[in-house]
Amino acid sequence: MRDIITVAKKELKAFFSDKAVIIQMFLLPFLIVFGYAMLMTSTINSQKETEEQLEKPVVAYSINAPEEFSDVLAELKIMPAPDSDIEKYKKQVTDKETDLLMVFPEDFKMSDPGSAELSNIDIYYNGEKNNSMELFSKTTVMFTTMQPRIFTFNESADKQYDLFDTSSIIKNFLSGIIPLMIFMAVYMVCMNLAANSIAGDKEKGFLNTLLVTPVKRESIAAGKSLSILVVAIIASCSACIGMAVSLPQLAKAMETSDGVTYSITEYIMLFGAVVTGAFVLVAVLLIFSTIAKDVKQATLLSPILLLAIMIPSLLSSSENFSQKIDNLGTTNYLIPVWNSVKTLQDVVKVQYTGISVLITVVVNIIVAVLGVLLIGKLFNREKIING
């Protein structure tokens, strides 16, 4: 155990003596998560500003409108025409200068149901203009509801009829991007360090020196693994802080800030899933580094792992694929790394269970330990190269 700690200390000392590595560990994950979230926030805000700029004010007139319709017309932004020149305003609608013209007959009256004498309202609009079509649709719907009815529906002002949880909009959105942002950030930090830790030592010839020391090869492998695991914990903390700081800004941009409040327990669960998932990432990256002959080969193999995370994460946003994932049930939490992604999605949506989180953490720790043992076995097969 002493040898393992000694090797780990030497590796960590080398990491912390390099300013570039320190920035990678402490700042890079935070900047990736926070920066990506701010980019999306800026994009959402820009899109909203563009939509506001493109939205032109409604220009619509009414002629001979009865007084009882004044409130409805004002709500639709249909104003009384300055004069009664119908042909003039019809031409304006044709020329897209005016969105809509409503002409009421001078003897307009509300007839009883089934009456043969019905007053007709002429509504002129331009089907080539979006504002005109939208206003025509709103007007016809609103005036249709004002006609005699035999029953009403959804007219109680004190009741909430739409039972859709508005907070689920942002939660579903965030569940699709948070796992990718966090694991990409942690991956980028650990990939370089893991590749250089073993494959880099091979390339420099320093691994030969380690292998001829009296320290057991398994201890060397475990020490190197432990040092990268510490880095993974630091990177995970940085990424989670970036997530916690950026969530309110994203929520504000999407105008659903009330739907993204999480408890301390949920943040702890998120952190646990990220850290243990990062442990498995580190173990696999170190296996690649041990198998590879140099840093270049190790970094070429590493993206395979990132793709294994990204593809199912992206596909999970598809309704059909999401249904298949849900059908797997507990099996989702038995698959290393993917279980962390799934747990992150569950916690963000607040649809998690304590058992699923526990299974994820335990499975990842077991797989990470087995990965470190495998690295030790691979170290035993390493040959000392002369010259």
Side-chain angles (χ1 to χ4, degrees):
M1 188 64 187
R2 183 181 299 175
D3 291 339
I4 295 174
I5 295 175
T6 301
V7 173
K9 282 182 177 179
K10 287 182 178 180
E11 292 287 315
L12 290 171
K13 185 178 180 181
F15 295 155
F16 284 97
S17 62
D18 190 331
K19 292 181 180 179
V21 174
I22 292 175
I23 292 173
Q24 281 187 354
M25 283 191 291
F26 288 93
L27 289 180
L28 184 61
F30 174 86
L31 292 175
I32 289 175
V33 175
F34 182 77
Y36 186 67
M38 290 302 98
L39 177 62
M40 287 190 297
T41 301
S42 177
T43 302
I44 293 170
N45 287 331
S46 297
Q47 185 177 2
K48 286 162 63 177
E49 290 174 2
T50 303
E51 289 174 353
E52 290 174 0
Q53 291 173 357
L54 292 175
E55 185 178 350
K56 296 180 180 179
V58 172
V59 179
Y61 298 113
S62 65
I63 296 177
N64 299 328
E67 184 63 29
E68 60 262 33
F69 293 140
S70 58
D71 291 339
V72 176
L73 293 173
E75 184 179 345
L76 292 166
K77 298 181 181 179
I78 301 175
M79 309 304 295
D83 55 61
S84 300
D85 191 343
I86 297 174
E87 294 303 320
K88 179 179 73 173
Y89 295 112
K90 284 173 65 177
K91 187 176 186 307
Q92 288 182 5
V93 173
T94 301
D95 295 338
K96 300 181 182 178
E97 296 173 2
T98 298
D99 296 306
L100 184 136
L101 173 66
M102 290 188 71
V103 181
F104 293 80
E106 293 183 1
D107 58 346
F108 179 86
K109 62 179 180 179
M110 295 286 285
S111 300
D112 295 328
S115 173
E117 297 180 1
L118 297 175
S119 295
N120 181 66
I121 304 173
D122 295 322
I123 306 177
Y124 300 97
Y125 64 98
N126 191 322
E128 292 182 350
K129 190 177 181 183
N130 289 335
N131 272 8
S132 182
M133 283 296 296
E134 289 176 8
L135 183 57
F136 173 72
S137 177
K138 290 179 182 177
T139 303
T140 53
V141 169
M142 188 166 290
F143 272 78
T144 298
T145 60
M146 295 175 65
Q147 296 183 67
R149 295 170 291 174
I150 60 173
F151 62 87
T152 65
F153 58 90
N154 286 10
E155 290 199 356
S156 297
D158 59 341
K159 292 183 179 179
Q160 178 66 36
Y161 293 103
D162 188 353
L163 302 180
F164 177 66
D165 182 9
T166 55
S167 67
S168 66
I169 299 173
I170 189 170
K171 288 176 181 177
N172 288 332
F173 174 72
L174 294 176
S175 69
I177 62 172
I178 282 179
L180 287 180
M181 287 194 302
I182 291 179
F183 280 109
M184 185 178 293
V186 175
Y187 164 85
M188 289 183 68
V189 174
C190 296
M191 178 192 70
N192 292 326
L193 295 180
N196 281 284
S197 180
I198 300 176
D201 284 353
K202 286 183 187 179
E203 194 172 344
K204 297 171 187 174
F206 183 65
L207 189 61
N208 285 344
T209 306
L210 288 175
L211 294 178
V212 297
T213 60
V215 180
K216 291 182 179 180
R217 294 189 176 193
E218 290 91 342
S219 297
I220 296 173
K224 284 182 173 290
S225 300
L226 181 60
S227 66
I228 306 296
L229 290 175
V230 171
V231 171
I233 294 173
I234 296 172
S236 298
C237 288
S238 178
C240 287
I241 292 171
M243 175 193 66
V245 171
S246 60
L247 275 179
Q249 298 297 323
L250 260 176
K252 185 178 179 181
M254 298 182 72
E255 300 178 347
T256 52
S257 57
D258 293 337
V260 288
T261 53
Y262 298 102
S263 66
I264 297 296
T265 301
E266 285 157 355
Y267 275 111
I268 292 173
M269 289 181 175
L270 285 170
F271 180 71
V274 172
V275 170
T276 56
F279 286 172
V280 179
L281 278 178
V282 166
V284 177
L285 289 171
L286 286 171
I287 290 171
F288 287 162
S289 185
T290 306
I291 295 171
K293 295 179 180 179
D294 51 36
V295 174
K296 182 179 179 180
Q297 193 176 70
T299 53
L300 286 174
L301 290 171
S302 300
I304 298 173
L305 183 59
L306 186 61
L307 288 173
I309 299 172
M310 291 180 64
I311 292 174
S313 299
L314 292 171
L315 288 175
S316 63
S317 60
S318 167
E319 186 174 350
N320 291 334
F321 192 80
S322 177
Q323 186 61 46
K324 291 179 181 178
I325 291 173
D326 292 338
N327 290 338
L328 290 175
T330 307
T331 306
N332 284 301
Y333 309 103
L334 299 175
I335 304 172
V337 182
W338 166 249
N339 55 8
S340 288
V341 174
K342 185 67 169 66
T343 299
L344 284 177
Q345 293 177 342
D346 291 346
V347 175
V348 169
K349 294 178 182 178
V350 196
Q351 296 176 354
Y352 63 91
T353 62
I355 295 297
S356 64
V357 177
L358 180 62
I359 292 173
T360 295
V361 171
V362 171
V363 167
N364 283 342
I365 291 175
I366 291 173
V367 172
V369 171
L370 293 175
V372 172
L373 293 176
L374 176 59
I375 295 166
K377 296 294 182 183
L378 293 173
F379 256 67
N380 280 329
R381 298 182 181 181
E382 284 289 329
K383 295 180 180 179
I384 300 173
I385 302 174
N386 295 320

